[in-house]
Amino acid sequence: MSPTLQVVVAPDSFKGSATAVEVAEAIGGGWREARPGDTVVLTPMADGGEGTIEALALAIPGSKRMPITVTGPAGEPVEAEWLLVPGEESIGTTGVVELANTSGITLLSTLRPMDAQTNGFGEAIVKALDHGVERLLLAIGGSASTDGGVGALTALGARFLDAEGDPIRPGGGGLAGLVSVDFSGFRDLPEGGAQIITDVTNPLLAAEGAAAVFGPQKGADVHQVAELDRSLAAFARIVGEAAQTTRPRSAAHLADPEAPGAGAAGGTGFGLALWGAIIRSGAETVADAVGLERQISEADVVITGEGRFDSQSAAGKVPSFVVGLARKHETFPLLVAGSIGADPEDFAASVSLSELAGSSEAAMENPLPFLWAAGRALANGGAKTSGGEGA
């Protein structure tokens, strides 16, 4: 290595263990200890899940956290926030709203697969709209529910009615009673539009859909998964029919249940597309917002990571996106992960916290010292190369 290096540290959070900010600070600290003459730039990342607001608030000067109280996934009030990002020459103010802190699974003490709702997420979007933001970034990872985003859309002015013309019950279980929808009360999108940011590429329905893949993680048994999938299919059919008669400003006719990401957050990706929001890669959108590509283009080394690096990491996750930018700009890519379950062949070297700690349990219980040690090991060349030998 050269006498001094420019190093970018751009990890995702280690879910359930450490935030992206904590991960970046620990890795960066370990590197600085080993090589105090290097310049280390911390750019914590996110892919649309928990920690998106935190990463953007740290990276974008002038960002302001906006505290709010909304309806949580169990129907009880929860304290949450959205992020106000200042405007630039070509883009006005942006509101970043995170489903994880308004309607997320970590807000539940007990899983509620049939009646957890996304109403609070929609209420937070309304708060941002009322504030006058000109663009929305909607981070939808970490959902507690499989309601197709109906709760959020209800907060935005849509009506979902049963056979008696009354609102259906909250949550995915309530979709079974859906007979008609009314989009006439939809709030307008902000002038700059709304982008849905997610790392999930699943469609809405069937074997790879929202209920089948993610329902069990939210507490659904095999019978409930089947019921939720049937209800989501009926939901997609009913809103498709309603789109034929709704007023032109509704984008319901553009929502495709087979589109990649439609099944994200229990179908909230599809639901927000009904409103007119556009689905984008979470890692790409966050990277654009924090200027990651420019930082990597100017760096000698970039370190990224996540809690578990496995075969799914190549499907839009933060490490795969970062290593793509590193390859483009001929920057040296390094990986730190809680555990490594697939060959990190695209990285010059890697460190597994589980190996450092002796077990996954030990690494998860107290990750920060091991993250520090990982940063120090990478700086000293004491990591594994993609071929498995010590660097």
Side-chain angles (χ1 to χ4, degrees):
M1 291 186 179
S2 64
T4 60
L5 298 173
Q6 179 89 5
V7 181
V8 173
V9 185
D12 198 354
S13 64
F14 283 36
K15 292 179 176 59
S17 183
T19 68
V21 172
E22 292 171 334
V23 173
E25 289 176 344
I27 293 173
W31 185 286
R32 289 190 186 101
E33 181 180 299
R35 294 178 58 89
D38 291 348
T39 299
V40 179
V41 178
L42 306 184
T43 309
M45 278 285 293
D47 56 18
E50 184 178 3
T52 299
I53 282 178
E54 186 174 26
L56 294 178
L58 181 69
I60 303 175
S63 297
K64 182 179 180 182
R65 297 174 184 265
M66 308 292 285
I68 52 175
T69 302
V70 298
T71 304
E76 300 293 331
V78 299
E79 300 303 313
E81 64 181 359
W82 62 277
L83 185 70
L84 178 63
V85 177
E88 302 174 357
E89 290 184 6
S90 58
I91 302 175
T93 55
T94 296
V96 184
V97 186
E98 184 181 296
L99 188 149
N101 80 33
T102 55
S103 305
I105 194 167
T106 60
L107 300 174
L108 292 177
S109 57
T110 302
L111 297 179
R112 305 171 70 108
M114 303 306 288
D115 63 4
Q117 56 183 283
T118 55
N119 297 62
F121 183 49
E123 291 166 9
I125 295 171
V126 169
K127 294 284 189 182
L129 290 172
D130 288 346
H131 191 82
V133 299
E134 296 178 48
R135 182 179 67 147
L136 285 168
L137 296 181
L138 306 175
I140 64 172
S143 168
S145 72
T146 311
D147 73 348
V150 162
L153 299 181
T154 298
L156 288 165
R159 300 176 70 225
F160 298 88
L161 308 174
D162 61 19
E164 284 72 45
D166 297 321
I168 61 172
R169 291 182 293 107
L175 289 176
L178 182 65
V179 171
S180 64
V181 299
D182 178 4
F183 295 125
S184 63
F186 251 160
R187 290 287 298 259
D188 288 324
L189 288 163
E191 184 177 346
Q195 295 179 354
I196 306 160
I197 53 179
T198 177
D199 67 333
V200 171
T201 57
N202 300 69
L204 181 66
L205 305 171
E208 297 300 316
V213 175
F214 304 111
Q217 301 172 13
K218 301 170 185 179
D221 62 29
V222 63
H223 301 293
Q224 291 170 326
V225 165
E227 179 182 342
L228 289 167
D229 190 62
R230 287 193 300 270
S231 295
L232 288 170
F235 168 56
R237 174 182 56 78
I238 291 167
V239 297
E241 292 171 353
Q244 306 303 315
T245 58
T246 194
R247 53 193 174 136
R249 78 173 183 177
S250 171
H253 63 289
L254 300 177
D256 179 2
E258 297 183 3
T268 300
F270 176 77
L272 291 173
L274 293 172
W275 186 43
I278 306 300
I279 299 174
R280 284 195 65 192
S281 158
E284 179 182 1
T285 304
V286 174
D288 286 349
V290 303
L292 182 63
E293 181 165 6
R294 176 188 57 77
Q295 294 177 4
I296 290 177
S297 71
E298 298 171 353
D300 302 293
V301 175
V302 59
I303 307 171
T304 188
E306 62 182 345
R308 175 169 174 77
F309 182 86
D310 55 24
S311 58
Q312 295 185 10
S313 298
K317 300 283 189 178
V318 167
S320 66
F321 183 79
V322 171
V323 82
L325 291 179
R327 190 181 303 115
K328 176 180 177 180
H329 295 286
E330 299 183 348
T331 303
F332 203 64
L334 306 175
L335 174 72
V336 178
S339 62
I340 297 178
D343 185 0
E345 58 185 357
D346 292 330
F347 293 89
S350 62
V351 176
S352 163
L353 300 193
S354 296
E355 292 186 10
L356 287 179
S359 70
S360 297
E361 293 76 16
M364 288 190 67
E365 183 178 353
N366 188 22
L368 299 185
F370 300 110
L371 287 163
W372 188 286
R376 188 171 57 238
L378 289 170
N380 286 326
K384 290 184 178 180
T385 67
S386 59
E389 300 297 328

